[in-house]
Amino acid sequence: MKVDELKSLGVDERILRLLRERGIEELYPPQADALKTEVLKGKNLVLAIPTASGKTLVAEIVMINKILREGGKTVYLVPLKALAEEKYKEFKFWEKLGIRIAMTTGDYDSTEEWLGKYDIIIATSEKFDSLLRHKSPWIKDINLVIADEIHLLGSYDRGATLEMILAHLDDKAQILGLSATVGNAEEVAEWLNADLVMSEWRPVALRKGVFYHGELFWEDGSIERFPTQWDSLVIDALKKGKQALVFVNTRRSAEKEALLLAGKIQRFLTKPEERKLKQLADGLDTTPTNQKLKEALTKGVAFHHAGLGRTERSIIEDAFREGLIKVITATPTLSAGVNLPAYRVIIRDTKRYSNFGWVDIPVLEIQQMMGRAGRPKYDIEGQAIIIAKTEKPEDLMKRYVLGKPEKLFSMLSNEASFRSQVLALITNFGVGNFKELVNFLERTFYYHQRKNLEALEGKAKSIVYFLFENEFIDIDLNDQFMPLPLGIRTSQLYLDPVTAKKFKDAFEKLEKNPNPLGIFQLLASTPDMSSLRVKRKEQEDLLDYAYEMEEYLYQNIPYWEDYKFEKFLGETKTAKLLLDWINEVNDVKILETYEIDTGDLYRILELVDWLMYSLIELYKLFDPKPEVLDFLKKLHIRVKHGVREELLELITLPMIGRKRARALYNAGFKGIDDIVRAKASELLKVEGIGIGVIEKIYQHFGVELPTNEKKKKVKKGTLDEFFK
Ligand code: ADP
């Protein structure tokens, strides 16, 4: 279908003009099918087609048209922050039509009223769920919800959130669900009362095969021969002038394979490429993981996994798209995340280790990895090849190449998410009694799928009882639910009620003995925190440490036979890390000591920031002692920035992080007064302080330094003199 034909379907002329401007003349067949349904007239639609076959474009046409024609707001839900950023950049294009686009992720305790001014709001499901609970005033203006990666309804820890959002909004707004191909897309569409467009069409043909000891069995029955080792597939792709993406099952394998491949493919690089790659590598921070990354990078290979920092990840993604990096070895997080296609995708592992031992990776996931093969505009076909090691190649062919992906199942059955959702229904969404609760639950995918409320009712009952027992809610003589302050706040803070209960139970001990280790251990013990793993060889030292610090803890040390023992050691390890962090142990040392990656450290710090804030907010409900509250607030700032108490003042200045604050302090600038009175030239002598930083600090105090002339002058004067 030509883009012009969209006019007859009611698409605004301005959209067609901009599509042509973007070089899009013709719609892909599934896009045409999708737009020919009644989606442009407001009917719900589930669009289940492979990655990169143009789902986003359909979403763009539908939402922009709706905004231009009817006004109102679109919420675009994504599963990951990185995807929110990607979509934000893509949708900016529509600002040309006066459409205002915003993105919101972290901070779960806010109404974000500023979003009221925007037409499209991109948010993670968790963030949007928290906005619903806060009853942001603009929520009522939403007339379209787009759920990207709606197949994540079936994801164990995040599915329930998305499911509940859709259950809340399905009678208030149009829903457009974008899905990978799953086993039961019909069922999802039925639940949402939506049309379904399903297709296997791809813009670049996909050829799939299984490799076994030098033989590559293609799905059409043909066989191609290579040297025995699978890395010959990578080398072959490079010989063809193409790139490869290798999926493995662990971070360490990704690193190891990257380094091994690096040695073999360096010869394919041109001199200018080598220079550019070296520049890229030199620009990276020096952490233990980055050392390996740098080595691989200079040879044209990178690994990509959740342990990398954000900067590293985006550098790698950009350099791969540019063609500078030839091979990426990745864990499956990449296949669910950003758009990063390659000519050849190699899947080294089809099993992974879980708590229950080795398990097969689901077909849905492997097919998503395979879907990354083929770069539109560059490749005529993409190739996805699974490596058979001990498995029989024909089994892998049957299961992953020819087989259908699994069905999705509602994850409302996950106790932790369900607990938090039931509380929210009562405290934030006006569900007044058990009957109303059950009525609402009938709108869920869970009910649609199983048609048997009994199990859900049973679970809901035990949760209601838990909430009642622990004073999250009250129940009056007429069986009406009454939200209590603890319940209301817990729900707004987006906490698992079990976390809130742990906090509440610890307040008495905390008041008697407020101290960082005890508090960190408490935070680490909640279900909202993901604690570090403990290796067997670390157990003894950690236990010794716990006994040494026993007087600071708010809980007893469990016996080793106790099932909680290992978990406790993990919590202790996490608490110890946080203690190092606020005592200004340097980042690299922390990464080495705890054998974690940058990405892990920042995930822990992000969680702790939110939990520390929540701890303070809940403590405020329990007749707080001012000095304890003060202690907690200071500790919160310390853990946010990773500083000792003496830096609390300096850290409030713009562009001053833990390193610069420490350098200033050690040079004798101990507080804001010292900075104000100091000559800029003196400040410039401090490590890490350049004119850019000084400019920002001066601006912070309302002093502008617009021209270079003035910058020169400022070196002589002090901020204090400016004030005069
Ligand atoms: P998906 O969301 O299904 O993963 P995208 O919407 O990101 O896929 O599309 C992948 C790429 O294809 C994007 O770069 C997009 O601009 C481009 N594209 C989508 N539709 C068309 C089309 N009809 N003609 C040309 N390019 C298109």
Side-chain angles (χ1 to χ4, degrees), residues 1 3 22-29 31 47 49-58 60 76 86-87 90 148-149 178-179 201 203 339 372 376-377:
M1 182 163 82
V3 162
R22 216 155 100 177
I24 296 176
E25 296 287 344
E26 178 102 28
L27 291 176
Y28 295 153
Q31 291 175 332
L47 177 58
I49 56 178
T51 325
S53 37
K55 289 189 280 285
T56 314
L57 193 77
V58 173
E60 287 176 79
Y76 195 100
E86 192 177 289
K87 295 298 165 197
E90 268 178 85
D148 204 347
E149 320 261 352
L178 310 178
S179 174
W201 186 92
N339 188 12
R372 295 285 166 192
K377 297 189 202 116

Side-chain angles (χ1 to χ4, degrees), residues 554-607:
Y554 308 136
Q555 73 163 95
N556 298 328
I557 300 174
Y559 294 113
W560 70 269
E561 316 85 325
D562 193 327
Y563 73 99
K564 286 188 192 141
F565 180 72
E566 243 175 81
K567 186 172 170 293
F568 169 82
L569 291 184
E571 294 157 17
T572 307
K573 185 174 169 184
T574 313
K576 191 164 166 286
L577 177 152
L578 292 166
L579 206 57
D580 282 354
W581 171 249
I582 62 167
N583 284 324
E584 294 178 41
V585 174
N586 91 29
D587 307 24
V588 173
K589 180 94 178 100
I590 291 183
L591 300 179
E592 281 168 358
T593 312
Y594 297 91
E595 297 181 61
I596 54 168
D597 293 321
T598 315
D600 305 313
L601 177 62
Y602 286 93
R603 252 186 309 282
I604 290 176
L605 293 176
E606 209 174 301
L607 283 171

Side-chain angles (χ1 to χ4, degrees), residues 343-583:
Y343 165 70
R344 186 171 280 166
V345 168
I346 296 162
I347 297 165
R348 196 200 69 169
D349 304 310
T350 53
K351 288 189 191 301
R352 71 171 152 234
Y353 201 73
S354 78
N355 293 339
F356 320 104
W358 289 98
V359 294
D360 286 329
I361 297 177
V363 179
L364 177 63
E365 273 184 51
I366 296 279
Q367 292 193 343
Q368 285 216 292
M369 296 178 208
M370 295 202 279
R372 295 285 166 192
R375 297 183 73 177
K377 297 189 202 116
Y378 296 93
D379 301 327
I380 304 164
E381 73 166 17
Q383 301 189 337
I385 303 164
I386 301 175
I387 309 299
K389 283 160 289 190
T390 51
E391 311 85 350
K392 282 194 196 138
E394 53 274 25
D395 289 351
L396 292 180
M397 179 73 87
K398 206 162 126 204
R399 179 169 161 82
Y400 291 113
V401 176
L402 308 170
K404 261 181 73 146
E406 294 79 5
K407 284 184 169 190
L408 297 184
F409 288 100
S410 164
M411 284 298 147
L412 210 54
S413 46
N414 170 354
E415 177 102 13
S417 343
F418 192 42
R419 215 158 39 210
S420 153
Q421 295 294 348
V422 168
L423 175 64
L425 284 170
I426 298 172
T427 58
N428 302 66
F429 298 108
V431 164
N433 52 44
F434 198 72
K435 183 152 184 302
E436 285 175 29
L437 180 62
V438 174
N439 282 347
F440 185 89
L441 294 177
E442 277 176 22
R443 293 160 60 168
T444 60
F445 186 47
Y446 186 98
Y447 177 68
H448 178 82
Q449 216 167 20
R450 313 192 191 195
K451 291 288 180 305
N452 171 3
L453 262 190
E454 247 170 69
L456 204 55
E457 258 184 48
K459 273 193 179 175
K461 243 181 215 153
S462 73
I463 288 169
V464 167
Y465 187 71
F466 168 87
L467 296 174
F468 172 67
E469 273 251 280
N470 291 290
E471 296 170 357
F472 290 92
I473 60 169
D474 211 346
I475 302 178
D476 73 10
L477 294 173
N478 299 321
D479 289 338
Q480 293 295 308
F481 297 151
M482 286 181 305
L484 294 176
L486 176 65
I488 296 172
R489 220 45 203 117
T490 298
S491 179
Q492 286 174 337
L493 290 163
Y494 212 67
L495 290 177
D496 183 330
V498 171
T499 297
K501 174 178 155 49
K502 279 190 175 251
F503 286 173
K504 184 181 117 183
D505 293 346
F507 284 147
E508 202 184 313
K509 284 188 183 150
L510 191 156
E511 265 188 346
K512 284 197 194 118
N513 180 14
N515 76 85
L517 187 74
I519 291 168
F520 293 153
Q521 160 89 37
L522 171 65
L523 303 184
S525 73
T526 66
D528 281 310
M529 181 76 195
S530 69
S531 279
L532 296 171
R533 277 170 190 271
V534 173
K535 300 207 175 97
R536 205 156 283 278
K537 62 174 191 218
E538 295 173 305
Q539 286 193 350
E540 213 176 300
D541 284 349
L542 279 168
L543 191 60
D544 283 345
Y545 178 77
Y547 276 116
E548 206 180 301
M549 302 300 228
E550 196 173 11
E551 60 183 302
Y552 297 105
L553 301 179
Y554 308 136
Q555 73 163 95
N556 298 328
I557 300 174
Y559 294 113
W560 70 269
E561 316 85 325
D562 193 327
Y563 73 99
K564 286 188 192 141
F565 180 72
E566 243 175 81
K567 186 172 170 293
F568 169 82
L569 291 184
E571 294 157 17
T572 307
K573 185 174 169 184
T574 313
K576 191 164 166 286
L577 177 152
L578 292 166
L579 206 57
D580 282 354
W581 171 249
I582 62 167
N583 284 324

